[in-house]
Amino acid sequence: MTGRAARLLREERGQAVVELACVVPVVLACALVAVNLGVYIERCARFDRVAPDMVLAHGVAPADEQDASSAVRQVREAVEEAMGDPGLEVDVRVERLDPEEDGLLPALSPGRVRFVCSMGFRPRPSTFSVAGAVWTAPALLVHERSLVVDIGTLAGGV
């Protein structure tokens, strides 16, 4: 092999290393997005099954005091326990439904409320940097699930 051929071969090997160095950060960032998206979709699917069950089990007839704040606390604790992920941020709130607003007579639905359960998910890692390329995930992804129930027996208001 002549000196010119050896020099061309070395230049081609160097080009492949440079191309690999440019592609690796992009591939890693895409892989992180795909993994986090998969985890988020799985958590949302589980949350959509768990939240209504916990509202029906604990929100309609709370075990302790018969008031709305006790129901909210019990639903939130039950959802957090059922989800089993300490990294999730679970919040539950109660909204009283105005009977005139949806066209129903007040006598037919005196205690209808909407439990709104929300799950906050923070992608991991939140910041990823390779070779000067920085990828920053959104601060918090929020997913909500609501359920309307009749809790006419609860005291303490909403």
Side-chain angles (χ1 to χ4, degrees):
M1 188 178 326
T2 65
R4 178 182 159 104
R7 190 176 41 225
L8 287 174
L9 187 60
R10 275 195 305 271
E11 287 177 6
E12 288 177 6
R13 280 193 223 144
Q15 180 181 356
V17 170
V18 171
E19 289 174 356
L20 183 64
C22 292
V23 170
V24 166
V26 174
V27 170
L28 287 175
C30 290
L32 279 173
V33 168
V35 167
N36 276 305
L37 183 63
V39 169
Y40 178 68
I41 289 171
E42 184 270 332
R43 298 278 161 48
C44 287
R46 187 175 349 148
F47 187 77
D48 283 346
R49 290 188 315 268
V50 165
D53 289 346
M54 295 306 135
V55 167
L56 293 175
H58 300 283
V60 176
D64 298 343
E65 305 168 17
Q66 294 291 311
D67 64 357
S69 64
S70 176
V72 166
R73 179 181 47 78
Q74 288 181 27
V75 169
R76 185 183 65 248
E77 290 171 357
V79 169
E80 287 174 347
E81 183 179 334
M83 291 298 289
D85 186 352
L88 293 179
E89 299 175 14
V90 176
D91 186 42
V92 178
R93 69 181 188 276
V94 178
E95 301 169 351
R96 181 166 298 283
L97 297 178
D98 185 16
E100 290 80 22
E101 182 179 294
D102 58 10
L104 295 176
L105 297 173
L108 295 178
S109 60
R112 287 182 347 128
V113 296
R114 177 181 295 121
F115 278 84
V116 180
C117 303
S118 63
M119 173 195 73
F121 175 78
R122 293 188 189 281
R124 296 179 190 116
S126 59
T127 303
F128 181 71
S129 175
V130 172
V134 178
W135 175 75
T136 303
L140 185 68
L141 299 172
V142 178
H143 178 70
E144 284 191 351
R145 180 80 160 106
S146 64
L147 184 68
V148 176
V149 295
D150 182 8
I151 58 169
T153 60
L154 289 184
V158 176

